[in-house]
């Protein structure tokens, strides 16, 4: 019985981590560089930051239900309900994805 509970708990935790690891918490542009810092959640409830150049952004390659764009082999998901502080961000993102 305990093996069943451990398998179920591990499986659901792994599935949730896979599904939510693409979620973007914040995106901050880096002044003086054509790059941005993307902050995503971790399994332990923390966050990790990744520096991504605009030139590295492409359409998502492969399948993931929550993927808006891909950069450096990592997929990212932008929630459409988030607040945009840079009015030109979505235009720049669409241009980078559709190149």
């Amino acid at each position: 019985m305990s093996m069943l509970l451990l398998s179920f708990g591990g499986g659901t935790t792994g599935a949730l981590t896979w599904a939510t690891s693409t979620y973007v918490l914040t995106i901050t542009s880096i002044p003086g560089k054509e790059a941005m810092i993307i902050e995503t959640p971790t399994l332990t409830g923390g966050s990790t930051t990744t520096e991504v150049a605009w030139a590295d952004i492409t359409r998502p390659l492969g399948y993931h239900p929550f993927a808006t764009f891909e950069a450096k082999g990592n997929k990212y998901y932008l929630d459409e309900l988030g607040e945009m502080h840079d009015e030109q961000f979505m235009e720049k993102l669409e241009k980078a994805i559709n190149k």
Side-chain angles (χ1 to χ4, degrees):
M1 185 66 171
S2 63
M3 188 61 183
L4 176 67
L5 291 174
L6 283 173
S7 298
F8 179 75
T12 55
T13 301
L16 275 171
T17 301
W18 176 79
T20 61
S21 64
T22 62
Y23 187 77
V24 174
L25 299 171
T26 61
I27 294 180
T28 310
S29 62
I30 302 172
K33 287 176 98 174
E34 284 294 315
M36 58 186 156
I37 295 176
I38 300 175
E39 185 179 357
T40 54
T42 63
L43 174 65
T44 59
S47 62
T48 184
T49 58
T50 308
E51 184 176 325
V52 174
W54 279 100
D56 295 337
I57 295 176
T58 63
R59 288 181 184 262
L61 305 172
Y63 174 75
H64 197 286
F66 302 108
T68 306
F69 64 95
E70 184 171 333
K72 292 185 176 180
N74 296 323
K75 293 174 179 55
Y76 298 99
Y77 172 70
L78 287 175
D79 186 0
E80 58 192 39
L81 299 176
E83 294 181 22
M84 292 288 167
H85 298 287
D86 182 5
E87 298 298 325
Q88 297 176 339
F89 177 78
M90 289 307 289
E91 183 179 315
K92 287 174 73 175
L93 182 62
E94 284 180 18
K95 185 178 177 183
I97 290 173
N98 293 324
K99 62 180 170 179

